[in-house]
Amino acid sequence: MESSAIRSVRPSPTLAADARVRQKIAAGEDVLHLAFGEAGLPVLPAVAEALARGSGDNRYGAVAGSAEARTAAAGYFSRRGLPTGPEQVVFAPGSKPLLYALLNVLPGDVVLPCPSWVSYAAQAELAGKHVASVPIGEAGGVPDCVALEEAARPGTLVLTLPDNPTGTVASPELVREVAAIADGAGLAIVSDEIYRDLAFDDEFLSPAEVLPEGTIVTSGLSKSMALGGWRIGFARMPDSDLGRSLGNAVAGLASEVWSSLAAPMQHVAAYVLSEPQEVRDHVAASRRLHRAVSLAAWERLTGAGVECRRPGGGFYLYPDFEPLRGRLGIETADGLAELLLERFGIAVLSGPAFGDRPDGLRFRMATSLLYGRGDEQRWEALASDHPAALPWIAAALDRLEAAVSTIARS
Ligand code: PLP
């Protein structure tokens, strides 16, 4: 067989960027790694103990997850204003496969905010879907309402609350407005709420509260508990006919592709999602740390003349260097990312990875890998009242500011 006959599937830009940066670091280069969306924090010991307790469980188990894990997830959603029964919950090895399964089985086109998380468009393409990309307005994660009115058509609208890549959180009013447009157009909503517990303010509205029958919520423990490598994701199907059909379809796809979330991880999920005080405290400390460092980075960037939406949750910023275009002598987002890496040793992920225009001078930076070189520094950062002042974090922020100021002065 000719190798050219093989269907080409590119690696996810975020994983590819991480591999490239780690190679540079391994080769002895001093790189400030802002290109990867990993939570950058240690495992809570009580969670490691839950995994140890579950390690003897070597059964395949039910596709959607154990009764304990599904009940705990139902409680998790119910405590957040979304009354949920265990039968509405499906677990998987990460929320990524759940999003892929949903985009596969839901009918119609896929409508995405632009920019949006790297994998939605790639997954939609793998699922053979047409993607309509709609620009964001004041906040990321949801499309601008006027543009959405024009682009709306039956299918699936994916929202990200809080957002990756912009780090913003759509206001409740905006969520209501977007949900009303989606409802009118026959769009089901997939609300990716994997950063929900890392929203800085209490003001959070899930579209599932506004459109309970037509909204699917996805989430996981990769971000709030920094367990990305443990691959624990879950989805809440609506309590409606659509929800029951979707739950069956997603579980059917899961049964043919990944079978179930690894059984020991289901024990972890049951423990974490029952939210004992220790877990709540850990998530609260993580949220404080992400907030302090991303806001400190935002202040440095905007202080140097760069435009940037103020972050409201998670650990991302999406700066726009348009005001500095004349001084850069660079015309593309990729050129800007390359300049930052080669001249200043700062790795970021350029805007087009998120569907943004190649000639927009924007990129995503994650602040979460700045918390320390090892677990000792990371625990110190978690416990600190002023983490941005810790020497290793302050040095990284200084380096970022110096690079941007050099560009602004040139
Ligand atoms: N959704 C968003 C917006 C993300 O940023 C990520 C991870 O980077 C995911 C989903 C996937 O998370 P996981 O598959 O680890 O649950």
Side-chain angles (χ1 to χ4, degrees), residues 6-280:
I6 294 171
R7 179 181 180 187
S8 128
V9 182
R10 279 176 292 120
S12 161
T14 177
L15 295 170
D18 184 53
R20 183 178 169 206
V21 174
R22 288 193 196 275
Q23 230 169 25
K24 278 180 172 282
I25 293 171
E29 285 187 46
D30 177 20
V31 182
L32 193 59
H33 192 358
L34 307 177
F36 195 46
E38 187 161 80
L41 290 169
V43 177
L44 185 69
V47 171
E49 285 158 23
L51 177 60
R53 284 195 301 277
S55 63
D57 189 352
N58 58 351
R59 297 164 301 173
Y60 278 111
V63 170
S66 67
E68 292 79 8
R70 294 174 89 192
T71 302
Y76 167 93
F77 284 119
S78 301
R79 286 188 291 280
R80 283 159 181 75
L82 298 172
T84 306
E87 70 289 348
Q88 285 171 257
V89 176
V90 180
F91 275 90
S95 60
K96 217 179 210 185
L98 285 167
L99 287 160
Y100 178 64
L102 287 164
L103 295 183
N104 253 280
V105 301
L106 280 160
D109 290 349
V110 174
V111 180
L112 298 179
C114 178
S116 59
W117 179 52
V118 291
S119 292
Y120 304 135
Q123 290 191 346
E125 197 185 315
L126 284 172
K129 298 290 174 141
H130 178 263
V131 172
S133 213
V134 186
I136 59 171
E138 64 192 71
V142 302
D144 172 70
C145 289
V146 175
L148 180 61
E149 289 270 16
E150 277 172 30
R153 78 277 309 268
T156 307
L157 171 64
V158 183
L159 306 179
T160 320
L161 301 159
D163 184 38
N164 172 9
T166 63
T168 54
V169 189
S171 65
E173 299 74 51
L174 191 49
V175 168
R176 277 199 190 89
E177 219 177 317
V178 167
I181 298 170
D183 194 27
L187 276 163
I189 295 180
V190 171
S191 185
D192 180 345
E193 299 181 11
I194 194 160
Y195 297 95
R196 172 171 186 159
D197 293 343
L198 300 180
F200 303 155
D201 300 319
D202 292 336
E203 203 194 37
F204 181 96
L205 181 69
S206 169
E209 287 178 68
V210 187
L211 282 186
E213 304 213 335
T215 303
I216 304 103
V217 179
T218 61
S219 191
L221 303 186
S222 297
K223 313 297 176 180
S224 56
M225 292 297 293
L227 293 174
W230 288 16
R231 312 302 306 123
I232 301 171
F234 50 99
R236 175 191 186 272
M237 302 298 163
D239 182 15
S240 63
D241 286 343
L242 171 80
R244 281 177 280 282
S245 301
L246 262 177
N248 289 337
V250 168
L253 192 148
S255 73
E256 301 296 9
V257 183
W258 63 81
S259 290
S260 65
L261 170 61
M265 293 307 170
Q266 297 193 39
H267 290 263
V268 172
Y271 170 72
V272 171
L273 295 173
S274 67
E275 298 186 282
Q277 195 57 44
E278 204 166 353
V279 166
R280 287 171 200 245

